[in-house]
Amino acid sequence: MKFALALLALVATASAKIEIPNFGRGELHKDIQEFLDLMPVDEIVAITLKYLSEDAEFQQIVEYLQGKEFKDLVSTVEALPEIKKLMDYIHHAGIDIYLMINKLNDRLGLPHLVPPKDLVLRNYATGGLRGYLDEIEAILPIEKIKALYEKKLKESKAFKDFVDQLKSKNFQEIVNKVYANPTVQKILKDLKARGVDLKLIRELLRLILGIVIPVPPRF
């Protein structure tokens, strides 16, 4: 449980406000920050701490995320040219996506991804997984998030362009390739066995972003 304990300490020191680094330019960072500001961070941290310290299934999942199988999956996804194209777009839109991904890679013991050279980066319970997701869902301001999403689509070109990227053929190719990965299929099977409503997630992706999980679906 070494990694679970390390993550427990990380979550315990989380700030009360989630912020994403930027380059001091662009509107997309501000748009996304408004969504993050709606998140009840203190409550999410408290629930996460509870499940990390008390729930054996949740602890096992956290341990899995540090294992070789998950590392190999992350490396495979990061190597996709479609992922590189999407990350470059987000990078140029003013969000330091490479810094975030490389922090994840540091924790997984994976090499850093190299950002475009034209911009300089700045430093800056019990219930298992199903129970954890239920508790997080219960405290999220869903209606406020939906309302802000619709508002941003109408009023922010930067946000609309970002959503269009997520609805693009390039992103659909990312979904197709990741979905076909054997490790992903194993994870989906395990999630379904744990009671996670994958059909609901699939439908939300289709309705909100126009992302279609390859057919025939396996969940």
Side-chain angles (χ1 to χ4, degrees), residues 1 51-52 54-64 125-133 190-191 193-196:
M1 300 306 299
Y51 274 80
L52 277 170
E54 300 174 3
D55 190 89
E57 178 187 312
F58 193 80
Q59 292 167 359
Q60 290 171 3
I61 292 172
V62 172
E63 287 296 314
Y64 169 80
T126 58
L129 180 61
R130 177 67 268 167
Y132 175 76
L133 294 176
D190 290 344
L191 289 175
R194 296 176 190 276
V196 178

Side-chain angles (χ1 to χ4, degrees), residues 28 32 89-90 157-166:
L28 183 59
I32 295 179
Y89 167 81
I90 295 173
K157 183 180 184 301
F159 185 75
K160 184 179 183 303
D161 288 346
F162 175 63
V163 172
D164 286 343
Q165 279 288 322
L166 298 182

Side-chain angles (χ1 to χ4, degrees), residues 2-32:
K2 181 179 179 181
F3 179 65
L5 293 176
L7 184 57
L8 183 66
L10 175 66
V11 174
T13 57
S15 66
K17 181 178 176 62
I18 303 174
E19 293 186 351
I20 51 177
N22 70 349
F23 304 103
R25 62 175 187 81
E27 292 298 316
L28 183 59
H29 169 268
K30 297 177 183 178
D31 292 331
I32 295 179

Side-chain angles (χ1 to χ4, degrees), residues 62-105:
V62 172
E63 287 296 314
Y64 169 80
L65 296 179
Q66 185 69 359
K68 182 179 184 302
E69 187 175 43
F70 184 74
K71 289 182 183 180
D72 290 345
L73 173 61
V74 172
S75 295
T76 299
V77 172
E78 289 181 351
L80 294 174
E82 293 85 359
I83 283 288
K84 172 66 174 172
K85 181 178 178 180
L86 177 63
M87 289 181 61
D88 285 352
Y89 167 81
I90 295 173
H91 179 84
H92 287 290
I95 295 176
D96 201 343
I97 185 68
Y98 282 92
L99 176 64
M100 299 176 195
I101 295 298
N102 286 333
K103 284 185 177 180
L104 168 65
N105 285 0

Side-chain angles (χ1 to χ4, degrees), residues 124-166:
Y124 338 170
T126 58
L129 180 61
R130 177 67 268 167
Y132 175 76
L133 294 176
D134 285 343
E135 291 198 36
I136 295 298
E137 181 181 356
I139 64 172
L140 293 179
I142 301 297
E143 293 306 317
K144 289 184 179 180
I145 293 173
K146 289 180 180 178
L148 181 58
Y149 177 83
E150 295 299 328
K151 180 175 183 288
K152 289 298 179 182
L153 282 181
K154 295 177 181 178
E155 299 179 0
S156 171
K157 183 180 184 301
F159 185 75
K160 184 179 183 303
D161 288 346
F162 175 63
V163 172
D164 286 343
Q165 279 288 322
L166 298 182

